[in-house]
Amino acid sequence: MKSAAITSNPDLVAAQKQPWKLAFFFCFLVLLCDGADIGILAFTLSSLKEEFGLTNVQAGALGSWSLFGMAIGGVFGGWACDRFGRVRIIVIATAMFSILSGFSGFVQSYEQFVALRFVACLGLGSLYIATNTLMSEMVPTKHRTTVLAALMTGFTLGSLVITSISAWIIPAYGWRTLYLLTFIPILLSISMYFLIPEPQSWKAARALKLNGLKNSLQKPENPYKAIFENPKHRLMFILWSMSSGLLLFGYFGVSNWLPSYLETELGIKFKEMALYMAGTYLTMMFAKVVAGLVADKIGRKIVFAFGTMGTALFIPILVYMHTPENIGWLMITFGFLYGIPYAINATYLTESFPTAIRGTAIGGAFNIGRLGSVIAPVAIGYMAMHNSIGAGLLLMAGAYFLCGLIPTLFIKEQQYDPQKAQ
């Protein structure tokens, strides 16, 4: 009976044939490289300031230009995922950031660095959307949050890797060598192009459109029209744009300035700071896996709220209650709370929209939010000039609290199954 039921369900049969484990392997490595590339800026910021004579505001602007490029790339990448395929966009975006980040190691001025960084981030911005959309449409529903949470540990592992090698490479070989290593991910894009097919649900939704079949979820030529004409989709898009903006405002503000905070305001030496950051990233990886497992059992919403609001409440403790003796433990605790929202966000978001508009909707909402976060690194840089980096971090706490409050009050979880051509 069980075999007959499975055979009679073509969606399930097609899903079972998808090589999601191999896709996970490649997407994990792609996000590892993504996380490492984004983390490079934080660890080379002091070197860039020294070499090019930058002010704190100019240094913060490097993070903001990166975010601006990622936001544009993410919006375009989400639309391109729906139009051309999830795998194809991952391949193109990975090759793009790999080549351009690598050439950043040859720049001779601040302006050249900004230009290359901005264009490289167009590729980086597409990867979060494309990899999570691909995996959400390949992985069975009962394991989806766990797998996507594990996928997000790749991003954190990338941050850990760049933390570790920065402490070795920068003092010995200089900051330029670090950027030259980013040529390596182009090998991933080539391999993925030949080994990973597009998900079955995207193929089915695409076929419906191309064959001119009419149904209630048929997307028009302009996918944003489908989003805004439907009251439910429109509301979800607006709410997720707001929540994503606050989440990314907090994330990029903290990630760009936390190493400098530890090094300059707490007086921690570079190698010791790198060890503290490594411990934080390891804890984040553990937290993401635990959060994914728990969310598959008790729900996405409650775990997301716990992570965002817990982070918000803990940042003041980190800023005001640290001592030389407890800073390591505070960083580990912070890393655990800090990692939880990024384990849940992708699943929660992708299940809020149907397949036909999923890439466009999550790409648009997430990256409109990212545009709102552009000011975070500059805001902390400004506050560092007039007060302290620690004061700027407190601003991030408010962003995390509001980020968790919006979904808690207004966004229902598991609205759509990404494995179906809805």
Side-chain angles (χ1 to χ4, degrees):
M1 293 294 292
K2 184 177 179 180
S3 176
I6 292 175
T7 304
S8 65
N9 188 337
D11 286 337
L12 182 58
V13 172
Q16 288 176 332
K17 291 180 180 179
Q18 296 181 119
W20 71 263
K21 293 180 181 178
L22 184 61
F24 175 87
F25 173 77
F26 278 106
C27 287
F28 182 90
L29 291 179
V30 165
L31 286 182
L32 186 155
C33 295
D34 187 355
D37 196 280
I38 291 174
I40 280 180
L41 184 58
F43 288 99
T44 58
L45 199 57
S46 295
S47 299
L48 289 165
K49 284 175 66 178
E50 182 179 349
E51 178 154 341
F52 298 124
L54 308 181
T55 66
N56 279 332
V57 172
Q58 285 178 308
L62 287 175
S64 294
W65 277 111
S66 298
L67 286 172
F68 188 50
M70 291 168 69
I72 294 174
V75 171
F76 177 78
W79 166 82
C81 279
D82 285 340
R83 181 70 181 272
F84 304 109
R86 292 37 167 144
V87 175
R88 187 172 297 172
I89 297 308
I90 295 172
V91 168
I92 294 171
T94 302
M96 183 177 180
F97 91 76
S98 176
I99 293 169
L100 294 169
S101 290
F103 278 112
S104 297
F106 297 108
V107 300
Q108 298 300 313
S109 70
Y110 173 69
E111 291 75 19
Q112 289 176 6
F113 187 89
V114 168
L116 275 179
R117 188 68 187 164
F118 172 78
V119 181
C121 285
L122 295 175
L124 285 171
S126 302
L127 290 174
Y128 177 89
I129 303 301
T131 54
N132 279 286
T133 303
L134 173 66
M135 292 310 304
S136 72
E137 292 174 351
M138 282 192 167
V139 178
T141 301
K142 66 178 182 178
H143 302 306
R144 185 170 297 124
T145 308
T146 302
V147 172
L148 265 66
L151 180 66
M152 287 296 97
T153 65
F155 189 89
T156 308
L157 182 59
S159 300
L160 177 61
V161 168
I162 205 64
T163 300
S164 303
I165 66 175
S166 292
W168 164 51
I169 288 178
I170 292 178
Y173 303 102
W175 65 271
R176 294 178 184 275
T177 304
L178 210 57
Y179 284 92
L180 297 180
L181 294 176
T182 63
F183 282 120
I184 296 173
I186 196 170
L187 299 175
L188 282 175
S189 67
I190 295 170
S191 300
M192 197 167 182
Y193 176 79
F194 290 105
L195 295 175
I196 306 299
E198 296 292 347
Q200 293 293 338
S201 59
W202 178 81
K203 290 179 181 178
R206 184 69 175 160
L208 287 174
K209 180 179 186 298
L210 294 176
N211 292 333
L213 299 177
K214 304 296 182 182
N215 57 61
S216 60
L217 292 175
Q218 179 68 32
K219 76 174 182 180
E221 191 64 26
N222 182 354
Y224 282 101
K225 185 178 179 182
I227 294 170
F228 285 97
E229 282 187 340
N230 184 304
K232 179 181 178 181
H233 300 339
R234 180 173 64 245
L235 178 62
M236 288 300 100
F237 187 88
I238 293 170
L239 291 173
W240 275 118
S241 295
M242 294 168 60
S243 182
S244 296
L246 292 162
L247 180 68
L248 293 170
F249 185 89
Y251 176 79
F252 285 106
V254 171
S255 64
N256 271 275
W257 282 101
L258 188 57
S260 293
Y261 173 67
L262 295 174
E263 191 176 4
T264 60
E265 294 193 3
L266 302 193
I268 298 172
K269 294 180 180 178
F270 184 88
K271 289 189 176 182
E272 292 177 356
M273 176 274 290
L275 287 175
Y276 283 131
M277 292 302 300
T280 302
Y281 291 136
L282 281 171
T283 310
M284 286 179 68
M285 292 175 64
F286 174 73
K288 287 178 179 181
V289 175
V290 171
L293 289 167
V294 173
D296 274 333
K297 299 293 184 182
I298 68 173
R300 288 73 158 121
K301 180 182 291 191
I302 188 171
V303 180
F304 186 77
F306 175 79
T308 49
M309 296 181 184
T311 300
L313 295 173
F314 197 80
I315 287 177
I317 296 175
L318 182 63
V319 172
Y320 290 119
M321 300 182 65
H322 67 268
T323 67
E325 292 75 27
N326 71 13
I327 186 63
W329 292 109
L330 290 179
M331 289 292 291
I332 288 173
T333 306
F334 174 72
F336 185 85
L337 294 168
Y338 187 51
I340 290 173
Y342 307 99
I344 310 303
N345 180 255
T347 306
Y348 201 172
L349 178 53
T350 56
E351 291 177 344
S352 296
F353 300 98
T355 301
I357 60 169
R358 182 170 295 117
T360 302
I362 66 177
F366 190 80
N367 288 286
I368 286 173
R370 185 175 269 159
L371 280 173
S373 72
V374 164
I375 63 171
V378 173
I380 295 183
Y382 179 82
M383 296 186 76
M385 290 181 67
H386 294 84
N387 194 322
S388 67
I389 297 174
L393 294 178
L394 295 177
L395 183 63
M396 306 300 108
Y400 274 109
F401 188 84
L402 292 174
C403 163
L405 187 63
I406 291 170
T408 300
L409 295 179
F410 303 113
I411 302 179
K412 181 181 177 182
E413 58 187 287
Q414 291 184 284
Q415 298 178 58
Y416 295 94
D417 185 350
Q419 286 203 310
K420 297 179 180 179
Q422 301 160 308

